[in-house]
Amino acid sequence: MTSARFDRRPYAGAEDLRAMQDLAGRLWSPGATWHVGDLAWERFQHTGREHEWPTMLWDAGGAIAAWGWADSGHLGLVADPGRPALAGEVLDWFAATAPATAPATAPWPVRTVRVSSAETHLFPALDRHGYRRTDEGPFSLHMVMDLDDGLPVPSPAAGYRLRAVGDADVPQRVAAHRAAFHPSRVTEESYRAVRRAWPYRPDLDWVAEAPDGSAAAFCLVWLDEANLAARIEPAGTVPGHRRRGLARAVCLAALHAARRAGARRAVVSPRGDDAYPVPARLYRSLGFRECARSLGYRHPA
Ligand SMILES: CC(C)(COP(=O)(O)OP(=O)(O)OC[C@H]1O[C@@H](n2cnc3c(N)ncnc32)[C@H](O)[C@@H]1OP(=O)(O)O)[C@@H](O)C(=O)NCCC(=O)NCCS
């Protein structure tokens, strides 16, 4: 299919996901919305939702230069700043696509976009297409830290053991995720799909194991080898094990593993609004600092 100036094609599976990840990696900075690991996590953490997600890729000179992913009236996008017309093409496509993805209960038609304050190249197209900044509701912080010799050594509470997970650990790893993020749609099936996705690495998927052998806390880190950048997504602690320093310990263990694997920086994007402050406190206590935040845009139509 051809749009105004660029070829475009609908998402057709794993190779296209890899092309979307390659673009996100090529344009990545610590304040970017998308790290290669986010795409793997977001695409696979739930099973059977692909049909709810119209996704389009734009090709410029044989390489993917923009993509848009619509979900429930919301758009995720990456567009090469070197080709300013592309962001507008993604928004045109979204305007035509969004109504079909809006939740039945939503005001009609809903069109929202979330970008990072660091992605200034997207602002002009959003303005031109009639989107307005909204300061309502949750937002995320984009936080970064150097992984240098100053990274604290993890010290789990007595009786807990820090270790990377293997195939046999999937049931307890998923149980911990579901408890920490209750209610959650992550299942053993979806988690196995996450583990098959590039660039998942089992040596960067850590748990704090409780004395009874269950997973009490977890931290999954994704490594972007081209940018030497690790991303925490997600981390959590089972409610009955909270406030014992376990999230701190398991995140540090996973970050040390990422450093051994070559990462020089780490990023994470917790909520930044006052309604959900604890994760940002955790990451600040580890040494992360804010470098950007998410900005919500809404189409007034
Ligand atoms: C956020 C979460 C992982 C923290 O887990 P935890 O094991 O209780 O955290 P820790 O005990 O390691 O705490 C580390 C630091 O985080 C902060 N913190 C953790 N819980 C806090 C709370 N309830 N209130 C205030 N600060 C808190 C503190 O700075 C704490 O350091 P301190 O104990 O020296 O003051 C846990 O609450 C959770 O799983 N929440 C739901 C899932 C989630 O939101 N994950 C993060 C997504 S990015």
Side-chain angles (χ1 to χ4, degrees):
M1 201 184 297
T2 303
S3 59
R5 289 177 47 199
F6 301 94
D7 290 335
R8 70 181 203 193
R9 65 168 190 268
Y11 178 86
E15 278 181 26
D16 284 338
L17 179 58
R18 189 56 197 268
M20 292 164 69
Q21 289 172 306
D22 286 347
L23 180 65
R26 193 153 54 77
L27 300 180
W28 185 85
S29 71
T33 304
W34 293 95
H35 178 277
V36 292
D38 295 310
L39 273 155
W41 174 252
E42 294 295 335
R43 222 61 210 188
F44 292 111
Q45 64 159 321
H46 302 147
T47 303
R49 295 195 55 204
E50 295 259 307
H51 67 282
E52 299 172 26
W53 298 332
T55 305
M56 189 66 76
L57 290 74
W58 279 259
D59 192 296
I64 294 305
W67 53 258
W69 171 0
D71 178 7
S72 308
H74 178 75
L75 175 72
L77 84 159
V78 169
D80 186 343
R83 299 175 188 275
L86 270 173
E89 293 210 16
V90 180
L91 294 173
D92 283 339
W93 165 78
F94 180 52
T97 307
T101 72
T105 52
W108 185 266
V110 176
R111 254 191 283 161
T112 57
V113 185
R114 188 177 286 199
V115 298
S116 162
S117 57
E119 292 162 341
T120 53
H121 61 286
L122 299 174
F123 300 170
L126 286 160
D127 289 341
R128 272 197 313 276
H129 281 68
Y131 286 82
R132 295 291 169 258
R133 272 275 304 278
T134 164
D135 293 324
E136 298 159 15
F139 67 90
S140 303
L141 298 173
H142 298 300
M143 305 179 88
V144 61
M145 74 185 283
D146 287 334
L147 297 179
D148 54 26
D149 293 340
L151 188 64
V153 174
S155 55
Y160 292 87
R161 189 164 74 100
L162 299 171
R163 64 180 184 85
V165 298
D167 256 349
D169 300 310
V170 167
Q172 58 147 317
R173 173 71 179 77
V174 168
H177 181 99
R178 292 176 63 86
F181 286 94
H182 178 80
S184 164
R185 294 167 72 170
V186 171
T187 61
E188 290 182 26
E189 181 191 2
S190 70
Y191 203 77
R192 289 189 199 283
V194 167
R195 286 168 57 85
R196 286 192 297 272
W198 182 86
Y200 176 89
R201 291 174 52 142
D203 59 326
L204 303 183
D205 190 357
W206 281 69
V207 291
E209 192 177 77
D212 66 3
S214 64
F218 54 87
C219 177
L220 174 55
V221 165
W222 300 87
L223 177 61
D224 176 344
E225 286 188 3
N227 290 303
L228 307 180
R231 167 84 157 176
I232 294 179
E233 179 66 315
T237 301
V238 172
H241 296 278
R242 285 184 186 161
R243 296 312 311 259
R244 297 178 194 176
L246 291 177
R248 180 181 166 80
V250 77
C251 287
L252 286 173
L255 291 173
H256 273 281
R259 187 167 181 249
R260 287 194 295 276
R264 291 291 164 263
R265 281 186 290 193
V267 291
V268 68
S269 299
R271 287 265 294 270
D273 50 289
D274 293 341
Y276 199 71
V278 169
R281 281 189 198 145
L282 160 68
Y283 298 125
R284 277 194 197 101
S285 84
L286 294 176
F288 283 92
R289 293 291 169 258
E290 298 155 40
C291 63
R293 56 157 285 176
S294 70
L295 302 175
Y297 280 82
R298 188 181 183 89
H299 200 280

